[in-house]
Amino acid sequence: MTNADPAAVAARRRTFAVISHPDAGKSTLTEALALHARALTSAGAVHGKGGRRGVASDWMEMEQARGISVTSAVLQFDHRDRVLNLLDTPGHADFSEDTYRVLAAVDCAVMLIDAAKGLEEQTRKLFDVCRHRGVPVITFVNKWDRPGREALELLDEIESEFKLKPTPVTWPVGIAGELRGLVDVRDPGHLLRYTRTPGGAKEAVEETLTAEQAAVAAGPEWEQASEELELLRETGAVHDQEDFLAGNSTPVFFGAAVSNIGVRLLLDAVVDLAPAPAPRPLLGGGERPVDAAFSGLVFKVQANMDRAHRDRIAFVRVCSGVFERGMTVTRAATGKPFATKYAHSVFGQDRSSVETAYPGDVVGLVNANALRVGDTLYTGARADFPPMPTFAPEHFAVARPSDIGRSKQFRRGIAQLDEEGVVQVLASDRRGEQSPVLAAVGPMQFDVVAHRMENEFSAPLRLEPLAYSVARVTDKAGAEALNLSRLVHGEALTRTRDGSWLALFPSRWQASAFEREFPDALLETLVAAHE
Ligand code: GDP
């Protein structure tokens, strides 16, 4: 394999993420996909989440307690002759910056919608991120085994709210809650019927009925579905690969992840429709072909995933060439070499050494203290991928060690969480090193900080919320202007780890007032997470 042509191997890779509002069924679907593809050899590989089965990608105590995904894992499995890499995204809005980073590392997203709820707040935000990043979206309408909304109405909602043309690839026969089966739109003369085996196997069994058999088995519903399909064809709601890849349309699938209904068709869609790894744009123009020398993007850094090892893992998406464990790569930010002696594939809590990885794959580099989120690694010709945008923080708090005797651990912990991107740490000219300002996109990030400081660094802290909600980047001139007007507008001046200035304001209104007074002082370089 080592000498395999990276372009040929990459063509077999599908790297994607599932995005959804919490509770739409992301964990259930992830599990169903992986089980379907036989990645999990037994249910024993799956462990608990809040008292019920969860996917192997939930590993932090806190995630389990809260039933949310704080950290991301990667599942790799085969389907047909393809290798699928499924990257987990945190479900909660407070971790949208992490989600953004994960979406920078995938080639496609599956947008999961609850049939009864339709588009929800977090679906909207995550979809915006996909659109912003140009990630094509496949839609899966889940929970069709329960009463819910009408299929056509859900399509209308996608079209009007997302300006995205829905093109069903499967269509439900029977309303939500009374599913008689699915039609594969490409083969409208057959009904795929799902029946549960007596004795209670969880997964429904799929069988194919002819049109005649379907008319007998599901008379009126079959007729109605046939009419709806006719209508969809007439209105041109038909999958078009180019449109989909350009982000103008989304192929839509229906099913019920919990009973494995429609999951195979979704997996087939990931294989057949989702794009393979493509050349990646470089900073300053041009792109890195898939078969160039190795390059990779660090999209996540996570410390202490394994209590026994106490190390730091950098998750790297391979973008071009072949990754081989032990190779020395260059970190574009510094031009310094980085040895990849300890490379792992990361699957939930389990690790196994990875020897070789290809474009689309994710490797975990252990002992990666020198690496940061957004880093480009490469061999051969220099590669620099565009930096990850920083989200504008909206929540601020001063952190202080609860126990002054543990100041050293406090400083070390805070610095590490800053480097991992768990929270942004700001130095203030008016506050010392023992009381940095923490800045977050969502307040739950503070909970993660408090939890990890206490449990990993044995340095419990106190957090005092600050009354700021707006951060704007500024420069030296802006900093001087801010110093002049500090008393007038009540703002504060802080510096990030890389030395840039951030001005904090209590409200947008105060930021605008300052801007009117000093029109050149503020620089717009942050992405707003909550527009
Ligand atoms: P997540 O928060 O998006 O990861 O959602 P979960 O996978 O934890 O699912 C939330 C709840 O919805 C759980 O109680 C699941 O059992 C349930 N659920 C998931 N998929 C389905 C489905 O297809 N049908 C039904 N009826 N319930 C489902």
Side-chain angles (χ1 to χ4, degrees):
M1 280 300 271
T2 316
N3 297 320
D5 166 14
V9 183
R12 296 179 48 232
R13 295 292 195 267
R14 297 291 180 272
T15 301
F16 69 110
V18 180
I19 56 171
S20 75
H21 192 83
D23 274 344
K26 183 156 65 83
S27 309
T28 310
L29 179 71
T30 303
E31 192 178 331
L33 287 173
L35 272 172
H36 212 100
R38 312 251 177 276
L40 304 179
T41 46
S42 71
V46 175
H47 46 89
K49 168 183 155 185
R52 64 165 193 88
R53 293 206 313 162
V55 287
S57 52
D58 288 337
W59 63 69
M60 258 177 81
E61 279 167 51
M62 199 171 128
E63 295 184 293
Q64 291 181 1
R66 290 180 173 240
I68 53 165
S69 259
V70 177
T71 47
S72 298
V74 182
L75 303 182
Q76 186 178 67
F77 48 86
D78 295 327
H79 183 62
R80 301 193 344 227
D81 60 342
R82 299 286 191 266
V83 177
L84 275 55
N85 293 305
L86 170 52
L87 278 56
D88 193 15
T89 53
H92 198 281
D94 284 8
F95 304 108
S96 47
E97 190 157 21
D98 291 336
T99 302
Y100 201 100
R101 295 166 178 166
V102 173
L103 289 174
V106 300
D107 301 314
C108 183
V110 171
M111 174 167 76
L112 191 61
I113 295 174
D114 183 324
K117 296 187 174 151
L119 305 179
E120 298 177 81
E121 192 195 345
Q122 192 60 5
T123 331
R124 291 190 175 84
K125 284 184 186 154
L126 291 165
F127 173 73
D128 281 347
V129 174
C130 290
R131 168 156 284 168
H132 197 257
R133 289 215 60 90
V135 176
V137 174
I138 295 174
T139 302
F140 186 80
V141 180
N142 192 29
K143 305 197 187 181
W144 207 260
D145 58 326
R146 286 274 172 84
R149 312 225 330 240
E150 278 184 31
L152 287 171
E153 188 190 305
L154 288 166
L155 298 190
D156 279 348
E157 188 169 290
I158 294 171
E159 178 133 41
S160 60
E161 290 210 24
F162 290 171
K163 308 284 173 272
L164 182 68
K165 181 171 159 187
T167 55
V169 177
T170 68
W171 193 250
V173 178
I175 57 168
E178 286 171 42
L179 179 70
R180 298 311 193 90
L182 296 172
V183 179
D184 183 335
V185 175
R186 298 157 294 191
D187 177 22
H190 290 97
L191 171 68
L192 298 168
R193 185 165 70 171
Y194 298 84
T195 39
R196 304 222 180 176
T197 47
K202 191 178 160 215
E203 292 173 25
V205 178
E206 181 184 297
E207 54 180 334
T208 307
L209 306 191
T210 62
E212 294 75 38
Q213 290 168 325
V216 175
E221 289 99 335
W222 172 253
E223 207 168 295
Q224 188 184 342
S226 303
E227 279 167 22
E228 287 166 343
L229 284 172
E230 188 57 40
L231 179 77
L232 290 169
R233 260 194 305 276
E234 277 167 16
T235 55
V238 178
H239 174 73
D240 178 305
Q241 185 68 6
E242 248 175 65
D243 256 6
F244 158 60
L245 294 180
N248 300 323
S249 70
T250 179
V252 182
F253 295 77
F254 293 81
V258 78
S259 324
N260 202 23
I261 294 172
V263 172
R264 178 187 62 83
L265 287 157
L266 178 66
L267 263 179
D268 284 347
V270 172
V271 164
D272 295 328
L273 309 181
R280 203 174 181 89
L282 292 166
L283 193 65
E287 49 188 28
R288 183 88 164 182
V290 171
D291 59 359
F294 165 79
S295 68
L297 173 72
V298 178
F299 65 94
K300 181 174 181 59
V301 175
Q302 170 79 47
N304 297 338
M305 280 182 30
D306 179 342
R307 287 288 161 100
H309 289 75
R310 291 230 156 233
D311 51 15
R312 194 187 301 196
I313 292 198
F315 291 78
V316 181
R317 141 97 195 216
V318 179
C319 300
S320 67
V322 183
F323 172 88
E324 283 174 67
R325 187 165 70 87
M327 79 196 311
T328 298
V329 299
T330 304
R331 179 178 175 229
T334 54
K336 293 210 171 111
F338 180 86
T340 62
K341 196 164 151 202
Y342 303 102
H344 289 277
S345 63
V346 188
F347 180 91
Q349 256 172 346
D350 302 329
R351 293 180 187 181
S352 52
S353 283
V354 62
E355 296 300 329
T356 325
Y358 296 92
D361 291 344
V362 172
V363 291
L365 299 180
V366 187
N367 289 343
N369 292 332
L371 302 184
R372 303 283 176 270
V373 167
D375 271 354
T376 304
L377 305 176
Y378 66 89
T379 61
R382 183 181 170 95
D384 254 313
F385 299 125
M388 300 251 188
T390 308
F391 276 33
E394 295 178 14
H395 301 269
F396 303 86
V398 177
R400 291 198 177 80
S402 304
D403 175 358
I404 209 78
R406 308 209 47 88
S407 305
K408 213 172 88 201
Q409 289 85 345
F410 173 85
R411 278 201 305 275
R412 197 189 311 140
I414 291 288
Q416 180 160 320
L417 298 182
D418 188 20
E419 286 175 3
E420 275 182 50
V422 171
V423 75
Q424 211 179 352
V425 180
L426 305 174
S428 154
D429 51 353
R430 286 184 291 170
R431 296 187 174 86
E433 248 202 340
Q434 288 297 359
S435 48
V437 174
L438 306 188
V441 175
M444 213 181 278
Q445 286 174 257
F446 291 147
D447 297 349
V448 175
V449 170
H451 179 88
R452 292 187 56 184
M453 286 297 286
E454 180 157 358
N455 291 282
E456 280 168 34
F457 303 98
S458 305
L461 47 64
R462 280 181 293 128
L463 286 169
E464 291 158 27
L466 293 172
Y468 302 116
S469 65
V470 176
R472 304 283 297 274
V473 178
T474 185
D475 54 14
K476 196 155 179 290
E480 279 161 17
L482 275 151
N483 270 329
L484 285 177
S485 75
R486 174 137 72 197
L487 293 174
V488 186
H489 298 301
E491 62 277 358
L493 190 59
T494 58
R495 299 195 79 151
T496 62
R497 180 163 40 91
D498 66 11
S500 49
W501 297 94
L502 266 193
L504 312 186
F505 299 91
S507 71
R508 248 168 230 242
W509 182 84
Q510 267 123 328
S512 308
F514 175 80
E515 202 163 29
R516 276 195 297 277
E517 202 174 327
F518 302 94
D520 301 324
L522 300 180
L523 316 169
E524 198 69 69
T525 54
L526 298 176
V527 176
H530 296 283
E531 284 296 81

